[in-house]
Amino acid sequence: MSLRHAVLGLLAESPASGYDLMKLFNASLASVWPATQSQVYGELGKLTTAGLVEVAAHGPRGRKEYAITEDGLTELRHWLTDIEPSGPQRHDGLLRVFFLGIVTPLEAQTYLLHQAERAARARAELEHLDETTEWDDEMISVYGRIALEYGLRISAMQEEWARWAADEVTSAKARKASELARGQHKGQGPHAEGSAGEGE
C-alpha cells in the first residue's frame, strides 16, 4: 500500500496534476519506491474514488489538479505513526553469499568485489544527485535530503563490507569449508576437477 501513501504524501505538500505529480515522483521518490506512470495515475483514480483525494481544479485539455482531503490526511498520518514498516525481507545478493563455497575462492572473491563496485557506483550517483539538486525549505526537499543520507551511508557500508568479505573468502577457514563443500560434488560440475586449488 506504500504507493498509495507516497501519492498522498506528495499531495499533502501541495495540489498537483497527474503530470506534475509524476514529475515530482520521479525527482524525489522513485529511487526508494519506483512506480510507472500507469501505476501512479491508477492510484490517483483509486484515491479519488475512496475520498482520500479530490479534483480541486480543472484546466485546459482536460487537465485536473488533485488535492488531498481531510480523510486523506488522516490516512497518511495513520500510516506514518501507526503502521510498522515492512522493510526488505529478501536480498538476492546476500542469499548467494551463503553458498559461495560451491565456487572457487577466486570466483567468490570476484563476485564480492563486483558487489563492492556496484555499491561504489550507487554512492557516486547519490553524491552527484546531492550536488546537483537545489535543496530548498519545502517538506519533500528537507526530508528527501534526510532519506538521501541513508542511501549515502548504506552504500558506503555495503562497499566496505563487500571488500572485507572478499578478503575473508580467501582465508584458510573459508578455503577449507569451500573444499569440503565442493569435494562432495567432485566430478559433477564444470568447476569440480582441480577446483580445490584454484585461486590459491
Side-chain angles (χ1 to χ4, degrees):
M1 297 297 289
S2 291
L3 177 58
R4 159 177 287 208
H5 298 99
V7 173
L8 286 174
L10 291 176
L11 291 177
E13 184 164 50
S14 64
S17 67
Y19 175 77
D20 292 335
L21 188 65
M22 194 66 217
K23 283 178 60 180
L24 184 56
F25 191 96
N26 285 333
S28 58
L29 306 183
S31 61
V32 297
W33 201 268
T36 64
Q37 180 174 318
S38 63
Q39 288 173 324
V40 171
Y41 273 80
E43 201 58 58
L44 266 178
K46 295 175 185 176
L47 290 168
T48 304
T49 300
L52 303 179
V53 160
E54 63 185 1
V55 178
H58 292 270
R61 296 183 297 278
R63 182 181 184 275
K64 297 177 182 179
E65 188 172 81
Y66 296 87
I68 192 170
T69 64
E70 283 300 318
D71 285 345
L73 278 172
T74 298
E75 170 61 24
L76 182 60
R77 291 190 184 105
H78 170 66
W79 176 71
L80 286 167
T81 59
D82 300 328
I83 305 300
E84 188 71 21
S86 59
Q89 296 181 350
R90 294 179 176 175
H91 193 309
D92 178 61
L94 200 54
L95 177 62
R96 299 179 192 208
V97 174
F98 283 89
F99 311 114
L100 286 179
I102 299 300
V103 298
T104 68
L106 179 59
E107 288 171 322
Q109 187 177 56
T110 299
Y111 169 78
L112 289 161
L113 289 175
H114 176 66
Q115 300 310 304
E117 291 166 5
R118 284 185 60 188
R121 287 196 300 270
R123 181 173 174 81
E125 290 172 4
L126 290 173
E127 288 174 339
H128 177 72
L129 179 62
D130 189 18
E131 293 167 0
T132 57
T133 298
E134 295 182 7
W135 304 106
D136 55 34
D137 296 329
E138 297 295 326
M139 178 188 72
I140 296 299
S141 186
V142 171
Y143 289 92
R145 179 59 188 78
I146 292 174
L148 178 67
E149 184 65 24
Y150 172 86
L152 289 169
R153 295 187 185 200
I154 203 73
S155 57
M157 182 278 295
Q158 288 170 336
E159 181 184 2
E160 179 185 7
W161 169 83
R163 295 194 185 282
W164 168 84
D167 288 336
E168 284 295 300
V169 297
T170 62
S171 69
K173 187 173 183 179
R175 284 176 179 274
K176 182 177 180 181
S178 179
E179 289 168 3
L180 288 172
R182 286 181 286 120
Q184 295 180 35
H185 305 284
K186 188 174 182 181
Q188 296 181 18
H191 302 295
E193 292 299 328
S195 59
E198 286 186 44
E200 293 184 1

